[in-house]
Amino acid sequence: MTDVLLPALPEDWSRAMAVAAHPDDIEYGTASAVARWTAQGKTVTYLLATRGEAGIDSMSPEDAAPLREQEERAGAAEVGVDVVEFLDHRDGVVEYSNALRRDITRAIRRHRPEVILTGAFTVRMVGGMTNQADHRAVGLAALDAARDAGNRWIFPELADEGLEPWNGVRFVCVAGADRPTHGVDVTGEPLRRGIASLAAHAEYTKGLGAVGPDPEGMLTWASGMAGPALGVQNAVLFDVHALRFEGPPPWEQGTQPPVVTEI
């Protein structure tokens, strides 16, 4: 019996938005996929819930925030992203809330992405690693905001800001999930640019001390571990939540429902 490969993530779209808790979150893999897409002419924007001000132990939040913002903008530029926005929620104590959902919904209505990229919102993520609190809150809020953006009666105050509903998000792609459903081939140039994107966070990585990753070594290893699932050398994997049917729904395709048998 041969292993079944994951399908490639569809690329018949033009605009995506990556939503993350902190500067550097996107760079741990997703940025390599972003590099592939921007090279295709797609537009990707970044939305950060915090400025990562609590991320460097030896530096006060007041000093760390502008540094980490600068590093995030530099990392984004390495993969062809021009627009990086920050919501200014407090780093380390981000709460899943209507306020967070509203902030993300506002950005979705402004930028009108077809694809949302975010991080795992489970307690455990890929490799059994325990997920961080801000990641869980922001990932789940991004998934929910993708639907909120299309409903004019959720956060109706956004219409007063001139932001009409946007029901065009086709799917939400969750990075770092322990059970991915799709993959993106990042072999070659996309991976190289993704490594450069993470390397732009040099001061933050230095502040982590001995546990700070080597961008090239870590991303080459991680994407190499993921590659076989897609049948390629290097890949980034996502758990994809489809928010609408692509093509006719199954009841119009003559698909037979599964047969349930009792044991």
Side-chain angles (χ1 to χ4, degrees), residues 34-126:
V34 170
R36 172 187 171 97
W37 294 325
T38 58
Q40 296 171 350
K42 303 183 192 303
T43 298
V44 182
T45 59
Y46 283 4
L47 183 70
L48 287 300
T50 79
R51 296 180 190 267
E53 66 273 12
I56 302 177
D57 183 68
S58 62
M59 189 176 295
S60 71
E62 293 77 15
D63 293 331
L67 169 64
R68 298 206 65 196
E69 177 182 344
Q70 179 183 5
E71 290 190 332
E72 181 60 26
R73 294 189 188 280
E78 292 284 355
V79 293
V81 173
D82 298 323
V83 178
V84 181
E85 299 177 350
F86 296 85
L87 296 177
D88 284 328
H89 287 258
R90 185 182 166 199
D91 185 16
V93 291
V94 178
E95 296 182 348
Y96 177 91
S97 63
N98 287 340
L100 179 60
R101 282 172 56 188
R102 183 189 299 111
D103 286 346
I104 300 172
T105 297
R106 178 182 288 109
I108 293 172
R109 289 193 183 185
R110 281 194 294 107
H111 293 288
R112 302 198 159 207
E114 300 155 82
V115 175
I116 299 292
L117 310 164
T118 194
F121 43 82
T122 50
V123 174
R124 289 193 185 274
M125 50 191 298
V126 63

Side-chain angles (χ1 to χ4, degrees), residues 212-223:
D214 164 56
E216 182 172 4
M218 192 207 73
L219 291 180
T220 301
W221 172 81
S223 62

Side-chain angles (χ1 to χ4, degrees), residues 21-257:
H22 316 107
D24 90 312
D25 287 352
I26 299 167
E27 284 69 37
Y28 285 97
T30 298
S32 296
V34 170
R36 172 187 171 97
W37 294 325
T38 58
Q40 296 171 350
K42 303 183 192 303
T43 298
V44 182
T45 59
Y46 283 4
L47 183 70
L48 287 300
T50 79
R51 296 180 190 267
E53 66 273 12
I56 302 177
D57 183 68
S58 62
M59 189 176 295
S60 71
E62 293 77 15
D63 293 331
L67 169 64
R68 298 206 65 196
E69 177 182 344
Q70 179 183 5
E71 290 190 332
E72 181 60 26
R73 294 189 188 280
E78 292 284 355
V79 293
V81 173
D82 298 323
V83 178
V84 181
E85 299 177 350
F86 296 85
L87 296 177
D88 284 328
H89 287 258
R90 185 182 166 199
D91 185 16
V93 291
V94 178
E95 296 182 348
Y96 177 91
S97 63
N98 287 340
L100 179 60
R101 282 172 56 188
R102 183 189 299 111
D103 286 346
I104 300 172
T105 297
R106 178 182 288 109
I108 293 172
R109 289 193 183 185
R110 281 194 294 107
H111 293 288
R112 302 198 159 207
E114 300 155 82
V115 175
I116 299 292
L117 310 164
T118 194
F121 43 82
T122 50
V123 174
R124 289 193 185 274
M125 50 191 298
V126 63
M129 292 186 296
T130 301
N131 204 356
Q132 194 264 355
D134 290 354
H135 298 165
R136 302 198 305 268
V138 172
L140 185 57
L143 176 63
D144 292 339
R147 279 204 170 111
D148 297 339
N151 189 329
R152 71 174 60 255
W153 307 120
I154 298 177
F155 310 129
E157 61 272 24
L158 295 181
D160 297 334
E161 300 177 18
L163 298 172
E164 288 299 310
W166 170 247
N167 200 30
V169 177
R170 292 168 53 190
F171 36 82
V172 178
C173 305
V174 180
D178 61 348
R179 294 184 180 180
T181 61
H182 292 72
V184 180
D185 184 358
V186 298
T187 305
E189 182 66 9
L191 176 59
R192 188 193 69 78
R193 293 175 64 193
I195 291 169
S197 185
L198 180 56
H201 295 265
E203 289 300 317
Y204 170 68
T205 301
K206 184 170 66 176
L208 294 176
V211 300
D214 164 56
E216 182 172 4
M218 192 207 73
L219 291 180
T220 301
W221 172 81
S223 62
M225 291 291 289
L230 197 62
V232 300
Q233 182 175 346
N234 301 98
V236 175
L237 307 182
F238 296 96
D239 179 17
V240 176
H241 294 253
L243 299 191
R244 67 189 195 199
F245 290 114
E246 300 290 325
W251 56 84
E252 294 182 4
Q253 300 179 34
T255 304
Q256 295 295 318

